[in-house]
Amino acid sequence: MKSQHSYSFVLRSAALCGVALLSFLNCSSTSSDLSNNDNSGNNGNGSTSGDPVQVWLTKGDQTVKLQQQGTAYFSGTSSTGTTIEVDASQIFQSIDGFGYTLTGGSVQVINQLNATKKQELLNDLFSSSGIGISYLRISIGASDLNSEVFSYDDMPTGQTDPTLAQFSLTKDQAVIQMLKDILVINPNIKILATPWSPPVWMKDNGNSMGGSLKPEFYGVYAQYFVKYIQQMQAQGIKIDAITPQNEPLHPGNNPSMYMTAGSQATFIKNNLGPAFQAANITTKIIAYDHNCDDPTYPLTVLNDTAANPYVDGSAFHLYAGDISALSTVHNLFPNKDVYFTEQWTSSTGGFSGDLDWHVKNVIIGSMRNWSKTALEWNVANDASFGPHTPGGCTQCKGAITVNNATAYDKNVAYYIIAHASKFVPVNSQRIASTQGDNLSTVAFKTPAGKTVLIVQNSNSGDKAFTIKYNQKTAPVTISGSSTATYIF
């Protein structure tokens, strides 16, 4: 996670309309704000017969939050005005999932809830009756949203441990236990792990902030990853993928490390890739894990002919640059995957503007640019936006704010992810959809054969449009500054 001083982009204040169309017959939820308590329609003046379209909506003004609306219907009537056409014959990438980073700090505050409230929250987040989060990112050692800095092999100043004899996951036992609890709810959730810093004795500055990995410890650090993956597996936790370094071009966070593209390619081809191969580890190696303003970094790694075979793809954040960078990399290496792995919401941001910008860029934008994942930053924090390390992010607002042992709030990041995660399961495929009139869209075909269309209305006022699919049309109206998901 970048420190808060590094964020220079300004979230647009336009609001986002979310309508979720769902044709599942049993879409119940344990969460009160998923209730079907608004049947006012928002579905235009079309017919009330034909194939049904379920509609779920979140308004930027917060008067409606992930609530099911009145049903719309397809007919054979020709469309007029703005039309969003969905074409299932054009198939793009398959989806690995939607979710967050489960930081050590997130675990710490969730564990402050009493047993009943904690189980309620975990069910809401991870079960199919809740919002069905299907992908988690975790830190290897501490991130800046831990209460303290640590690695899995910390040594007294001046000492080293090249055999990793002191390697231990003890300081992450709370995270491991929560992952086990989550796996009971969703045994198929995918996990990406990434380090903010190696043990400081491996670094040329001997500090948790900045510095670079000493070349003499490249091989040792590769074994550090191997031990981590093997010991997590021994706990019943499969690590689906890793990145070698979180935000490798941002050494000012605590913890952090600077790693050039050339160094990452060297580490992967000479050490990490061969170490995984020798240990029969199938965990994917994903390059970069930083901003969209520097696609040359992952391209440098992918263009290295010795590193390339070990690399599954590239991961991106959007604190700088444009989301189209994912397509830039995909188009040059179409056989390699791309992933969107982090975006924060700020304690100083507004619900409407954040909903609009994040749905347009993180959800719709990343998916339209070939990403297999869309992840917001941290799951949870306390009311003071903690815990965090000294020098870590002080303004990062989680999807959940835990207030005390019996109460928590759902923040904008909860709804940003929910409009996709609740309706687009793993192994769905993105299909084609048109856009226009400040309506941003992305569409999917689910493994069960449902079609899901997510629409963001950046207009301040309500917008009538027609969904066209298989030569049939469904007239709908989406509220101004809102997000919508349609399922049919």
Side-chain angles (χ1 to χ4, degrees):
M1 182 65 218
K2 284 180 170 287
S3 75
Q4 69 275 21
H5 304 297
S6 305
Y7 299 98
S8 58
F9 74 94
V10 178
L11 300 183
R12 299 182 328 173
S13 60
L16 176 74
C17 248
V19 178
L21 297 180
L22 190 62
S23 57
F24 306 106
L25 293 179
N26 56 351
C27 193
S28 61
S29 173
T30 59
S31 178
S32 61
D33 62 351
L34 304 188
S35 61
N36 183 5
N37 61 1
D38 184 347
N39 289 308
S40 59
N42 284 319
N43 58 339
N45 299 311
S47 67
T48 56
S49 61
D51 295 331
V53 177
Q54 288 194 16
V55 182
W56 291 70
L57 179 68
T58 296
K59 291 186 177 183
D61 65 11
Q62 302 189 62
T63 57
V64 174
K65 293 180 179 178
L66 197 63
Q67 291 175 358
Q68 190 173 350
Q69 306 297 292
T71 304
Y73 295 89
F74 278 102
S75 70
T77 307
S78 60
S79 60
T80 58
T82 301
T83 298
I84 301 299
E85 184 167 5
V86 178
D87 182 0
S89 70
Q90 296 186 55
I91 300 172
F92 302 94
Q93 77 275 22
S94 62
I95 304 305
D96 275 1
F98 300 90
Y100 306 93
T101 298
L102 182 69
T103 61
S106 295
V107 172
Q108 183 176 327
V109 297
I110 292 171
N111 279 338
Q112 292 170 6
L113 294 167
N114 66 37
T116 300
K117 207 67 179 175
K118 174 182 170 181
Q119 194 62 50
E120 173 193 287
L121 176 58
L122 293 180
N123 285 336
D124 183 18
L125 291 173
F126 297 103
S127 75
S128 58
S129 62
I131 64 170
I133 291 168
S134 48
Y135 203 100
L136 280 177
R137 184 171 176 240
I138 60 176
S139 60
I140 299 176
S143 76
D144 63 311
L145 293 192
N146 277 78
S147 58
E148 62 175 348
V149 174
F150 64 87
S151 77
Y152 301 134
D153 199 331
D154 292 326
M155 298 295 292
T157 302
Q159 296 186 29
T160 63
D161 182 23
T163 65
L164 301 177
Q166 303 303 313
F167 184 96
S168 172
L169 299 180
T170 300
K171 287 193 174 181
D172 256 342
Q173 281 307 306
V175 173
I176 290 169
Q177 184 55 55
M178 187 163 289
L179 288 171
K180 291 179 179 180
D181 295 341
I182 291 167
L183 285 164
V184 171
I185 300 169
N186 179 4
N188 299 314
I189 197 164
K190 292 191 175 184
I191 299 171
L192 166 68
T194 187
W196 267 238
S197 174
V200 299
W201 52 266
M202 295 187 188
K203 300 169 73 174
D204 58 11
N205 70 345
N207 195 294
S208 62
M209 292 180 65
S212 297
L213 185 65
K214 289 183 175 181
E216 60 263 36
F217 289 125
Y218 275 31
V220 179
Y221 197 35
Q223 292 304 315
Y224 183 91
F225 280 87
V226 169
K227 277 184 172 287
Y228 171 74
I229 291 166
Q230 290 175 335
Q231 291 192 21
M232 290 293 276
Q233 184 65 59
Q235 296 277 348
I237 300 167
K238 177 185 177 184
I239 303 300
D240 184 71
I242 60 94
T243 63
Q245 176 60 41
N246 171 67
E247 297 188 341
L249 300 180
H250 175 50
N253 201 2
N254 188 24
S256 60
M257 185 175 73
Y258 183 72
M259 179 180 276
T260 66
S263 295
Q264 187 163 116
T266 298
F267 177 57
I268 291 171
K269 70 183 178 184
N270 292 340
N271 307 105
L272 190 62
F276 278 18
Q277 197 169 56
N280 294 314
I281 287 174
T282 58
T283 298
K284 301 177 185 118
I285 298 172
I286 300 173
Y288 192 41
D289 211 2
H290 206 170
N291 286 332
C292 288
D293 63 339
D294 193 3
T296 57
Y297 190 115
L299 290 173
T300 296
V301 178
L302 293 171
N303 275 314
D304 188 304
T305 56
N308 179 289
Y310 295 116
V311 177
D312 172 82
S314 310
F316 296 85
H317 308 171
L318 190 56
Y319 303 114
D322 189 87
I323 195 66
S324 61
L326 279 67
S327 282
T328 299
V329 174
H330 166 82
N331 291 338
L332 290 170
F333 289 92
N335 63 325
K336 299 294 186 180
D337 292 324
V338 293
Y339 302 84
F340 191 90
T341 51
E342 181 189 305
Q343 198 72 22
W344 78 325
T345 51
S346 173
S347 61
T348 62
F351 187 99
S352 182
D354 284 352
L355 184 70
D356 181 79
W357 190 91
H358 283 252
V359 173
K360 182 176 181 179
N361 289 279
V362 175
I363 304 297
I364 294 172
S366 74
M367 292 290 124
R368 291 186 73 94
N369 285 280
W370 296 93
S371 184
K372 294 175 72 68
T373 60
L375 309 181
E376 287 282 305
W377 178 215
N378 55 313
V379 175
N381 51 247
D382 62 26
S384 300
F385 307 103
H388 55 78
T389 62
C393 184
T394 61
Q395 293 179 310
C396 292
K397 180 169 63 177
I400 302 295
T401 298
V402 175
N403 298 308
N404 52 53
T406 59
Y408 58 83
D409 297 323
K410 297 174 181 178
N411 301 320
V412 64
Y414 173 92
Y415 300 99
I416 291 163
I417 291 298
H419 267 280
S421 62
K422 183 171 176 63
F423 310 107
V424 184
V426 176
N427 296 324
S428 296
Q429 291 183 303
R430 180 171 69 90
I431 57 177
S433 61
T434 58
Q435 306 191 101
D437 286 354
N438 282 324
L439 298 177
S440 300
T441 78
V442 66
F444 305 89
K445 182 68 73 172
T446 74
K450 302 298 183 182
T451 302
V452 178
L453 172 67
I454 300 172
V455 179
Q456 172 218 340
N457 182 14
S458 291
N459 299 282
S460 59
D462 296 359
K463 188 69 178 178
F465 68 98
T466 301
I467 302 170
K468 184 177 182 181
Y469 180 73
N470 283 348
Q471 306 307 312
K472 294 184 178 182
T473 60
V476 297
T477 298
I478 184 172
S479 303
S481 303
S482 302
T483 303
T485 309
Y486 298 84
I487 301 106
F488 48 94

